[in-house]
Amino acid sequence: MDASNQTQTVVKSSRLKSLVWNDFERVKKGDVMVAICKHCKKKLSASATSGTSHLKNHLNRCRKRQTRELAEQLILVREKQRGGTINLENLKFDDFGPIDFKFDERTLLNLKFDQERSRYDLARMIILHEYPLSMVEHVGFRRFVSNLQPSFQLMSCDDVKSDCLQIYGKEKQKVYEMLDKVPGRLSLTADMWTSYQDHGYLCLTAHYFDETWVLQKKILNFVMVDPHSEQSLAEVINTCLMDWDIDRKLFSVTFDKFFSNDVVFRTRERLSQSRLLPNNGLLFHVRCATTILSLIVQDMLEALNEVTHKIRESVRFVRSSDTVQQSFNEIAQRLIGDSQRGLCLDCPTQWNATYAMLEAALGYKDVFSHLQQCDLGYTLAPSDIEWERASTVCSYLKLFVEVANAFTGVKDPTANIYFPELCDINLQLIERCKSEDSFIKSMALKMKSRFDTYWSICSLVLAIAAILDPRFKMKLVEYYYPQIYGPSDALERITEVSNGIKDLYHEYAISSTMSSFDHGLACDVRSSNGINGVLPITNNDTRDRLSGFDKFLHENSDNQQVKSELDKYLEEPVFPRNVDFDILNWWKVNAPKYPILSLMARDVLGIPMSTVEFDSVFNIGERLLDPYRSSLEPDILQALVCTHDWLQKEVEECGPIPSSSAMPLCITSS
């Protein structure tokens, strides 16, 4: 028979029991049985020996079938909202308007609704953008979601809280595994926060360099503590360290002003007993450099409180009415001519704003004196002595503003930048303590006493970090110390710093050597395994037994006059100072040249010398949780704060949030 005359016969048989045949027609084309998909009309084999597995696989991939099912679901939901019912067996899509079956794969995926996935995305959204948990119960949100996706089962506040805790658990495991793979040691910052109910919260943040020498920060804990119990604080810190299993990798902890030395001692004592800290924990204790600036500034402003009050009220008086402002401007025009600077009021909790107010007012001090003579209502003009004291304090504040700006000039400052700035402050305080003005001298002595307490704790780690800057090395210490300590004591202090960095390097060298020995021994064991794991006796055993001798030679290398990497580094000329110098890139490039010293540099430069975020460096208020966060239970608060920090990379990858919709951080300063 000619092929053109062949006919198709639909075969109906009671033997077609499989449900798959609901979506196929079994047709006989000549002598061949063919299964034709009712949705896409594709032809597949339908012979008795073919089975039905290939037909099921096709249905799972058939886009038109998926589209029809989605359309049926949408129609059912639509009719349910209208209060009607539909029999899908008699469904005619023409009754509901045109339905386009030409969807691409992306559209199909978007049309598929997944309740669990949507719940997960909602919880992540709340964490990422710090929305209140209760938003899922807001009428407006519920109406919006119902219209957007009627199939979504609305959640309660407890439901979303549970989802957030689950996400926290999963993300915590990821961070745990990440910290375990950190190539070097890590350092922590310990901050205290206060809620509106006066509850204390400890925030622990890990700082470290990854394998590409990029500085990373992760908030590890945000836990409620008793800030008045030193023993309790130390126990909480140690518990957090063990929970994350980072006590063995810890280098230092930078504490803010709320932690006493006793808390530090208790924390360090356990780690020292376990011999987990490098150099016997000599560099473990670090104090926040930004905090010491803030405390010294507060001492200055407290001493100048009466004068600052007069100047602040004087500015308010001038700006109180147009008449006074006009009179003030006329006097200023006669005395100082045109001035581009104007008066400004400060925010008492932002000390750089107070500096700006004082600096601006000092330019109009003669104008204020004449205004008092012209306007009987103005009685707060400072005296000449008070203006002089304000000028002295303002010069102090200018230095401190410049230093604070140097600390915040980069988003993630490395430890090497702090030493020269703090040395300059030290020299200024030494000079002011010699003042013949009793007011200035008394204020300077108080500030110097506070600074000396900080310097006694942090000077060594500050100096070592500066030495590891190839632009400075030991030369910067040798430059500043004679000015700070005087010629007679400077040599001893310089020797202390030199011995400190040598001891630290010696420990890294031994640790690196032992790691190499352990790795080599493990390789020998793996390569020489005999039958059933029994090691054959070879000459390698003699070499392994002498590994202790190799360690002995390394520890006594000084006797053999072998120069260490540190000696070679310090003997080389300093690198030219350049504003574009990237210290991390320098050490990354020179790591093959200084394999041991670069390991030490990575850990030291990663020490956070400040616990304060760069946008809060001028804030002299306490760190206070906002009212909403203060109302949360401790477990969910920790989950939200930590997970928000861990998911920030997603926000960065998606680009900045528009200012109109951006939410403030969950923890704010006031």
Side-chain angles (χ1 to χ4, degrees), residues 515 613 625:
S515 297
E613 295 294 332
L625 287 171

Side-chain angles (χ1 to χ4, degrees), residues 217-228:
K217 295 188 293 184
K218 301 290 181 184
I219 295 179
L220 302 183
N221 294 95
F222 199 88
V223 293
M224 181 185 289
V225 294
D226 181 1
H228 306 295

Side-chain angles (χ1 to χ4, degrees), residues 561-591:
Q561 302 299 318
V562 177
K563 288 185 178 181
S564 67
E565 291 179 19
L566 178 61
D567 295 329
K568 296 175 183 177
Y569 167 78
L570 294 177
E571 288 176 0
E572 291 182 351
V574 295
F575 195 84
R577 289 201 303 122
N578 189 309
V579 292
D580 297 326
F581 178 73
D582 186 342
I583 188 171
L584 298 181
N585 185 64
W586 190 93
W587 276 108
K588 182 179 179 180
V589 171
N590 287 274

